[in-house]
Amino acid sequence: MAWNQLRQWSGIACHNTTGAVLAVDLPNSSGRQPLGGEIRASLAKLKSLKHLDLSGNNFTGKIPHFLSSLENLQYLNLSYAGFSGAIPPNLGNLSSLQFLDVSYWGLTVDNLEWVSGLLSLKYLAMNSVDLSKLGGEWIEPLNKLPLLSELHLEYCGLSGFSYSLPSLNFTSLKVLNLQGSLFKAKLPTWLANISSLVSVDIGNSWLTGRIPLGFGELPNLQSLKLNYNLKLSASCFQLFARSWKKIQILDLSINGLHGVISEAHFHRLGKLEKISLSENSFVLNVSSIWVPPFQVIALEMGSCHLDPLTVKCSNDSNNGGDNYPDGGGKADQTDNGNGFIDKWFYMSIGVGFAAGLLLPYLVFAMKRSWGGVYFAFVDGTAYRLSSEKMKAAARRRNRGAR
């Protein structure tokens, strides 16, 4: 946030003309001794305060009710600060608040009606706060926040999700993180209708139902994590047939996915950087020398079903197994006329490729930057092999011409 200010001492910012305190910025993020004890009510006298960050400290007691009197407050971060008990509903009086983070496993909420008063709110995080009493009723107050752009409710114990509940109707929501919260609930299909979404994480929840095909058509989606839900299902063929124009991170591991994935599906993922499809039930159908697109730096396929019959070789031609025309259609004399070398070549590449799918998982688990080196090596190997095939085809064309 921008304002004219003069820093008089560490963590405190004042207006350069009036001297009014505009910011108290004392997060414990540098490893220093955390602040502790109770917050004194004298803090409420700072009527011009716009920024208050006390995160990561070790305060005692409940979140002070008097914070609601700071009517100019735009930024409030009380995450992991040691507070306990219920979040005071009168925080809903802070109509100028744009950022609110009250994440902490020691906090609880009886209802979220007070949130609907935060009409300027753009960022809301309540990670680890116990919301188990809310059931599905947590949705409606959030629908009244017209500017909300990021919502983080990780491991909050939300339940009661069903398709009959009113859907989130945000027009500006970009980031939605409900990881570990919607335990044993239905995947909300209406998420596929929020066109503004950039990042969605609903992993580790044991969600049920089918993954909406509409996720693939969200125009701005860059990251989708639905991992470790076990009971989610979808046909990979239909899911990957969607456009996914901007997707960079895709984690669908440990679900009930099925079907056949071909290399053509990967080419639809134009900007993909990381994809995880491990622990599912599908087959991979690719050509023998195919490698993932260069920009894919992490491909995790562990424990997927790689059917050797569907790891196909591109050897359908009229020249006994080559993809290059030889003019006379004669078999290579060094093959003794039976194409044995070609068959051995394709078989070895196919088996090597299937085994190689497991290698990136181990490599990238050790060091992310090795991804580029690995794929550069694979790409170079594939190029050399294809070059040798083209040279062999050229020799056969020359013999046929003679």
Side-chain angles (χ1 to χ4, degrees), residues 87 95 146 149 189 233 255 319 364 372:
I87 297 175
S95 58
S149 178
T189 57
S233 63
N255 283 299
N319 60 2
F364 305 144

Side-chain angles (χ1 to χ4, degrees), residues 11 43 58 102 120 127 132 135-136 142 163 174 197 203 249 272 277 291 336:
L43 182 65
N58 193 24
V102 287
S120 299
N127 299 326
S132 59
L142 298 174
Y163 296 124
K174 294 182 179 180
L197 282 172
I249 299 174
L272 192 67
L277 302 173
V291 294
N336 296 322

Side-chain angles (χ1 to χ4, degrees), residues 201-205 225-229 251-255:
D201 187 344
I202 319 183
N204 298 287
S205 294
K225 297 181 180 180
L226 297 174
N227 58 300
Y228 216 114
N229 282 302
D251 191 345
L252 302 176
S253 59
I254 317 180
N255 283 299

Side-chain angles (χ1 to χ4, degrees), residues 22-303:
L22 300 177
V24 176
D25 194 15
L26 299 173
N28 183 24
S29 56
S30 59
R32 59 170 174 77
Q33 184 69 23
L35 300 175
E38 294 185 358
I39 299 178
R40 296 184 179 180
S42 57
L43 182 65
K45 297 179 180 180
L46 304 178
K47 298 300 183 182
S48 298
L49 195 65
K50 295 184 178 181
H51 181 109
L52 178 59
D53 189 342
L54 301 175
S55 60
N57 286 292
N58 193 24
F59 297 106
T60 58
K62 298 181 179 181
I63 295 176
H65 284 68
F66 60 74
L67 292 179
S68 63
S69 65
L70 300 172
E71 57 186 22
N72 290 310
L73 207 59
Q74 299 177 15
Y75 181 103
L76 179 58
N77 191 343
L78 299 170
S79 62
Y80 302 97
F83 296 112
S84 60
I87 297 175
N90 62 358
L91 289 182
N93 297 332
L94 299 173
S95 58
S96 298
L97 203 62
Q98 299 178 23
F99 181 105
L100 177 61
D101 191 341
V102 287
S103 302
Y104 191 51
W105 50 80
L107 296 172
T108 62
V109 167
D110 294 328
N111 67 75
L112 282 179
E113 290 300 324
W114 57 272
V115 174
S116 61
L118 304 175
L119 298 180
S120 299
L121 200 63
K122 298 179 180 179
Y123 181 105
L124 175 61
M126 302 178 70
N127 299 326
S128 302
V129 176
D130 184 4
L131 305 181
S132 59
K133 296 180 181 180
L134 302 182
E137 298 177 2
W138 63 274
I139 301 177
E140 294 187 37
L142 298 174
N143 271 333
K144 300 175 183 179
L145 302 178
L147 302 179
L148 192 64
S149 178
E150 292 197 32
L151 177 60
H152 298 265
L153 299 176
E154 299 179 29
Y155 297 98
C156 290
L158 293 170
S159 61
F161 227 118
S162 72
Y163 296 124
S164 61
L165 292 172
S167 63
L168 291 168
N169 56 14
F170 300 122
T171 58
S172 59
L173 190 67
K174 294 182 179 180
V175 177
L176 177 64
N177 192 335
L178 302 176
Q179 181 183 170
S181 287
L182 304 179
F183 190 67
K184 293 185 178 180
K186 292 182 179 179
L187 177 68
T189 57
W190 41 258
L191 285 176
N193 299 324
I194 305 178
S195 60
S196 57
L197 282 172
V198 174
S199 175
V200 176
D201 187 344
I202 319 183
N204 298 287
S205 294
W206 282 51
L207 294 176
T208 62
R210 294 182 64 81
I211 298 176
L213 299 181
F215 272 135
E217 298 176 342
L218 289 173
N220 299 299
L221 193 63
Q222 297 179 18
S223 176
L224 176 61
K225 297 181 180 180
L226 297 174
N227 58 300
Y228 216 114
N229 282 302
L230 300 179
K231 294 186 177 181
L232 277 185
S233 63
S235 167
C236 278
F237 177 80
Q238 293 178 327
L239 191 64
F240 280 77
R242 303 294 169 148
S243 54
W244 301 93
K245 293 179 180 178
K246 294 186 177 181
I247 197 76
Q248 297 176 17
I249 299 174
L250 183 61
D251 191 345
L252 302 176
S253 59
I254 317 180
N255 283 299
L257 306 184
H258 60 88
V260 179
I261 298 178
S262 72
E263 58 195 83
H265 295 131
F266 285 89
H267 289 294
R268 295 178 183 273
L269 310 176
K271 296 185 178 181
L272 192 67
E273 294 181 357
K274 179 178 180 179
I275 180 170
S276 180
L277 302 173
S278 59
E279 303 293 341
N280 284 292
S281 301
F282 59 83
V283 293
L284 186 66
N285 185 344
V286 297
S287 62
S288 58
I289 60 173
W290 175 81
V291 294
F294 180 76
Q295 68 272 17
V296 178
I297 60 175
L299 173 63
E300 299 175 359
M301 305 279 286
S303 301

